[in-house]
C-alpha cells in the first residue's frame, strides 16, 4: 500500500497547492489510494494550508468521495427508473449473490463493494454501472458473470476488455446542431463579426438556455460583459445529472469542436479569458479525450493568446471533474463546487453575471447552449431565429429512453409535438411520458398534441417513455428516492420534505398507506415548492404531484381502506423488549386496530 | 363547535401526558385566571386535572409527550377514537423530543444495563404483565395515530396554548403570531 504523503503531495503540486482545487485533488487522491482516510485528510489539509474541516466538508458532501474503504473495485449500479425498467435490480442482486455480498458492504478481502447510485446518463443503453467512476453500459447477466470473474481474479480495471466501456452516441435524428463543423470556422466567423457584433447576433437569435430554465443567452452574456471589473469567467455546465438526459454526453463526445469553440466565442463576446468545463463524475470516460482536444486547440492557435491571430482574443479552458452531486448542476452550486467547496446553492441576487466564480462576473451555460453559439456565429442570429417557434428559437436535443424501439438522441426544431416525437422513436401504446427528467412533468396521451417549447412544454431534453404495463406509482417512487438522496441538506423544507415524501411513498408501496398519506403527500409537495431555497426542492415533488393527479388509481389500489395506518409496525417495535423480558402475555402485544 | 341555541353546550376537552415531562401541562396552567374563562366554555374529560381514568366522546384531545410503550399506544388510540380533534402538543408529541434521545441506543441494552441484581450484578429486567412493555424507540404521536393539529414549543407558552385553544373552540383556523413561536 502506498503511503499517503508522496501521493498527495505529487497531486497537490500539480495544482500548485491551490485550495480552490481541493475537490480535484481529493478525486485524484482517491483514484490512487481507493479512499480518503483521516490521515489523508490531515495530509491534504497540511499540504494546502487549509483547516482539516474544510477538506472534511468537501469529502462528506460528494457521493463519489469515500471516507471509508470501499474496496479496490467500487461498483455502483445506475438506479434510474429506465435502468429499473431494463432489469437493473435483478442484475444487481445477481452480482451481490455471486460475490456473496450485501448492498454497500465491502468484501472480507477488501477488494470490492457493490451499491446503487443515481442516473448515470446511459438511459439509452442501460442498465449501466460505474466501476471506479468508469461507465459500463448495456449490462446483461452474462456480462455480470464476466465482471465477477475479473474482480475475483483481481484483474486491474485498465486491463478489462475495452469493449465493456464503449458508450454509443445513438444519434437518431439530426438538424443543424448535430452536424460537424471544421475547426476554426466558427471562431473566424465570430472574429469577423467583432465582439459587439457577435453579442448582437446572439441577442438577435433569441437563443435561450438549454439547461431547462430557458433564460435568454444574449441577456446573460451582455450582463456579464457590462459588469464592472476586468476578470470574467465562462462555465460550461456539463453536469448533466437530470435523470433521463444524456444529450450533452453525445455533444461532448462527437461535437466537442462546437462546445469548446462555443465557449471561446462566449469568452470573446463577454471579455472572459478563462473557461471551465464542469464535467460530471459519471462522464470520466470523456475527460482524457476532451483534454486532448483542448491541448490540440491550444497547439493550433484556437485557444491561448490571440486566438486565430485576433489581438486581445485570449481564452483558455480547464476541465473540472464533479464527484457525484445532482445539485451541482444548479449554476450557483456549480460555481461553489468549482471554488473547491461543497456544492450548495447560493442566495440570489446577486446574479452569477455580477458575482460568480471567485466573486467575478461569470456566465454559466449549458453544453448545448454553448454549442449553438457556433451556429449563430456562422449563420447569424436572424437566420438562427427562423428555426423553431417565436419564443423558442433553434433546435433542441431530446434524450429519449424507456419503452420505445429506438432510444437515443433526437434533434428537432422547437415546436415539435410530443406525438410526433413518440412516432419517430417507435413508441407504441404509451401510457405516459416524463419530460424534463425527475423534476419535469408527466404527460399522458391527452397531452400528446402539446409542443416541446418554452411556451408549452419546456425541457432540458429528458424524454422517458412509459408503456401501458408500467406502473407509474413506481416511477414516482423512484424519483422520490432520487430527490431524498440528492437534496444537499442546506435548507430544511427540502432536506426534510424530500425524506418525508420518500418515506410516505415507501409506506404506500408496502401496502400500509391510507388516505392520510395521500393528503400528506400533497401538503409536503406544496410546502417544498413554496419554501425551498433552490430549484431542487421547488421541483422535487413534481413527479409525485403529477402521478397523483394523473394516475391516482395506481396509488389508491395500494391503500388500506382505513383512515390511518401507523408509520411503524408496532408488533415489531415491541419485539426487542418482549425478548428480553420473556413476556408473551396479551399486554405484551399490540393488535392492529380494525 | 357553535354555541348557538338556548343552552350553552360546553366543549369537552381531554388531555394526557405520555413520554414527556408534564411541562406542557404546567404551561397549560400558566393561562392562569383565564382558566375561569375556559371553565365557562369547556369542561374536562380524561385528564390529569380530573383523574378520570378513561375517555368518553369529546371534542378536543391534547396530547403531551411521545409514544414509548404499550400503555402510551392504548392511550393515544383511546383519545383518537373519542376525540373529534386531536392535537399534538409540544416537542415530544411532535418529534419525540428529549425522550427520543434513547432512539440511538438498543432498548434491550438499556434495560439490561439499568436493571441488575444488586447482589449478583446479573441483569434482571422486570417482566410483570402489569408493566407496560417499552417500544424499541420513542415515536411521535403522528406515527401512531392521525393527528389533526400540532402546537409546537418546549413547552408552548400559556399564551400560545390559550390562543390555540380559543381559536379551535371558536372555529377559527389556529394561528400563532411570531411572538408566540419565538423561543429565544
Amino acid at each position: 500500500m502506498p503511503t499517503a504523503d508522496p501521493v498527495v503531495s505529487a497531486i497537490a503540486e500539480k495544482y500548485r497547492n491551490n485550495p480552490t482545487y481541493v475537490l480535484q485533488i481529493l478525486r485524484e487522491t482517491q483514484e490512487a489510494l481507493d479512499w480518503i482516510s483521516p490521515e489523508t485528510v490531515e495530509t491534504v489539509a497540511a499540504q494546502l494550508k487549509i483547516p482539516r474541516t474544510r477538506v472534511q466538508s468537501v469529502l462528506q458532501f460528494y457521493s463519489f468521495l469515500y471516507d471509508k474503504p470501499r474496496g479496490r473495485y467500487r461498483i455502483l449500479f445506475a438506479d434510474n427508473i429506465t435502468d429499473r425498467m431494463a432489469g437493473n435490480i435483478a442484475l444487481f442482486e445477481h452480482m451481490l449473490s455471486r460475490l456473496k455480498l450485501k448492498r454497500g458492504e465491502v468484501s472480507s478481502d477488501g477488494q470490492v463493494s457493490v451499491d446503487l447510485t443515481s442516473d448515470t446518463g446511459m438511459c439509452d443503453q442501460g442498465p449501466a454501472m460505474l466501476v471506479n467512476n468508469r461507465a459500463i453500459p448495456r449490462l446483461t447477466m452474462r456480462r455480470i458473470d464476466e465482471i465477477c470473474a475479473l474482480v475475483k481474479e483481481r484483474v486491474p480495471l485498465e486491463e478489462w476488455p475495452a469493449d465493456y466501456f464503449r458508450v454509443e452516441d445513438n444519434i437518431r435524428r439530426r438538424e443543424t446542431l448535430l452536424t460537424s463543423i471544421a475547426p476554426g470556422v466558427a471562431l473566424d466567423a465570430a472574429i469577423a463579426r467583432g465582439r459587439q457584433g457577435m453579442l448582437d447576433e446572439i441577442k438577435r437569435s433569441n437563443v435561450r438556455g438549454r439547461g431547462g430554465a430557458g433564460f435568454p443567452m444574449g441577456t446573460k452574456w451582455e450582463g456579464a460583459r457590462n459588469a464592472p471589473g476586468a476578470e470574467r469567467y465562462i462555465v460550461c455546465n456539463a453536469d448533466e445529472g437530470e435523470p433521463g438526459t444524456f444529450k450533452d454526453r453525445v455533444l461532448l463526445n462527437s461535437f466537442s469542436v462546437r462546445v469548446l469553440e462555443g465557449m471561446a466565442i462566449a469568452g470573446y463576446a463577454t471579455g472572459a479569458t478563462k473557461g471551465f468545463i464542469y464535467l460530471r463524475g459519471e462522464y470520466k470516460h470523456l475527460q482524457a479525450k476532451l483534454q486532448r482536444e483542448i491541448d490540440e486547440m491550444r497547439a493550433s492557435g484556437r485557444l491561448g493568446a490571440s486566438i486565430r491571430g485576433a489581438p486581445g482574443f485570449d481564452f483558455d479552458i480547464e476541465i473540472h471533474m464533479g464527484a457525484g452531486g445532482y445539485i451541482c448542476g444548479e449554476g450557483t452550486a456549480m460555481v461553489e463546487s468549482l471554488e473547491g467547496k461543497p456544492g450548495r446553492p447560493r442566495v440570489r441576487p446577486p446574479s452569477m453575471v455580477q458575482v460568480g466564480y471567485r466573486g467575478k462576473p461569470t456566465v454559466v451555460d449549458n453544453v448545448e447552449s454553448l454549442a449553438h453559439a457556433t451556429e449563430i456565429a456562422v449563420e447569424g442570429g436572424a437566420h438562427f431565429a427562423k428555426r423553431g417557434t417565436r419564443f423558442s428559437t433553434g433546435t433542441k436535443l431530446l434524450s429519449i429512453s424507456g419503452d420505445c424501439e429506438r432510444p437515443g438522441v433526437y434533434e428537432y426544431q422547437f415546436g415539435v409535438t410530443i406525438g410526433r416525437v413518440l412516432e419517430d422513436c417507435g413508441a407504441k401504446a404509451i401510457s405516459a411520458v416524463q419530460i424534463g427528467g425527475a423534476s419535469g412533468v408527466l404527460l399522458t396521451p391527452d397531452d400528446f398534441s402539446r409542443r416541446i417549447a418554452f411556451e408549452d412544454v419546456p425541457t432540458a431534453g429528458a424524454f422517458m417513455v412509459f408503456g401501458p404495463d408500467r406502473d407509474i406509482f413506481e416511477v414516482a417512487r423512484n424519483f422520490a428516492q432520487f430527490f431524498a438522496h440528492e437534496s444537499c441538506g442546506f435548507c430544511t423544507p427540502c432536506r426534510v420534505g424530500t425524506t418525508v415524501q420518500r418515506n410516505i411513498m415507501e409506506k404506500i408501496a408496502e401496502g400500509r398507506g391510507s388516505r392520510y398519506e395521500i393528503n400528506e403527500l400533497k401538503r409536503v409537495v406544496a410546502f417544498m415548492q413554496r419554501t425551498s431555497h433552490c430549484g431542487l426542492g421547488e421541483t422535487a415533488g413534481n413527479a409525485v404531484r403529477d402521478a397523483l393527479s394523473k394516475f391516482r388509481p395506481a396509488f389508491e389500489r395500494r391503500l388500506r381502506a382505513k383512515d390511518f395506518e401507523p408509520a411503524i409496525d408496532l408488533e415489531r417495535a415491541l419485539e426487542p423488549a418482549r425478548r428480553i423480558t420473556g413476556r408473551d402475555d396479551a399486554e405484551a402485544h399490540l393488535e392492529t386496530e380494525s | 363547535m357553535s354555541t348557538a341555541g338556548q343552552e350553552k353546550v360546553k366543549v369537552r376537552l381531554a388531555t394526557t401526558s405520555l413520554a414527556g415531562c408534564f411541562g406542557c401541562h404546567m404551561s397549560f396552567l400558566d393561562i392562569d385566571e383565564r382558566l375561569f374563562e375556559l371553565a365557562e366554555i369547556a369542561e374536562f374529560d380524561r385528564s390529569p386535572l380530573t383523574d378520570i381514568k378513561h375517555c368518553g366522546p369529546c371534542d378536543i384531545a391534547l396530547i403531551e409527550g411521545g409514544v414509548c410503550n404499550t400503555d402510551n399506544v392504548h392511550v393515544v388510540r383511546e383519545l383518537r377514537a373519542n376525540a373529534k380533534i386531536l392535537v399534538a402538543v409540544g416537542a415530544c408529541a411532535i418529534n419525540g423530543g428529549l425522550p427520543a434521545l434513547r432512539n440511538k441506543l438498543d432498548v434491550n441494552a438499556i434495560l439490561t444495563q439499568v436493571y441488575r441484581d444488586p447482589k449478583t450484578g446479573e441483569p434482571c429486567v422486570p417482566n410483570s404483565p402489569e408493566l407496560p412493555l417499552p417500544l424499541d424507540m420513542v415515536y411521535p404521536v403522528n406515527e401512531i395515530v392521525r393527528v389533526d393539529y400540532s402546537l409546537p414549543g418546549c413547552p408552548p407558552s400559556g399564551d400560545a396554548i390559550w390562543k390555540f385553544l380559543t381559536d379551535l373552540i371558536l372555529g377559527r383556523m389556529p394561528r400563532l403570531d411570531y411572538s408566540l413561536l419565538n423561543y429565544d
Side-chain angles (χ1 to χ4, degrees), chain A residues 563 566-567 573 576 580 583 591, chain B residues 77 108 127-128 131 136 143 146:
Chain A
D563 177 50
I580 197 78
R583 280 175 57 184
E591 298 299 318
Chain B
R77 282 178 171 176
N108 282 356
N127 59 0
S128 161
L131 295 172
D136 59 344
E143 295 199 348
R146 183 168 56 78

Side-chain angles (χ1 to χ4, degrees), chain A residues 230-234 267 271-275 312 314-317:
Chain A
E231 218 176 309
R232 291 178 178 73
Y233 295 94
I234 305 295
T273 54
K274 180 80 189 259
D314 306 338
F315 194 75
D316 213 333
I317 297 174

Side-chain angles (χ1 to χ4, degrees), chain A residues 177 181 186 189-190 193 197-208 210 217-218 221 258 265 369-385 387 393-394:
Chain A
L177 186 66
I181 180 170
R193 293 182 192 279
M198 187 60 228
L199 184 56
D200 289 342
E201 291 304 325
I202 294 287
K203 288 173 73 180
R204 199 165 292 137
S205 74
N206 269 329
V207 63
R208 294 169 71 169
R210 271 19 180 191
M217 195 156 88
W221 287 18
R258 286 199 183 272
I265 291 169
S369 317
L370 289 163
H372 279 299
T374 57
E375 278 188 275
I376 297 163
V378 172
E379 65 180 11
H383 198 268
F384 181 92
R387 288 190 289 275
T393 56

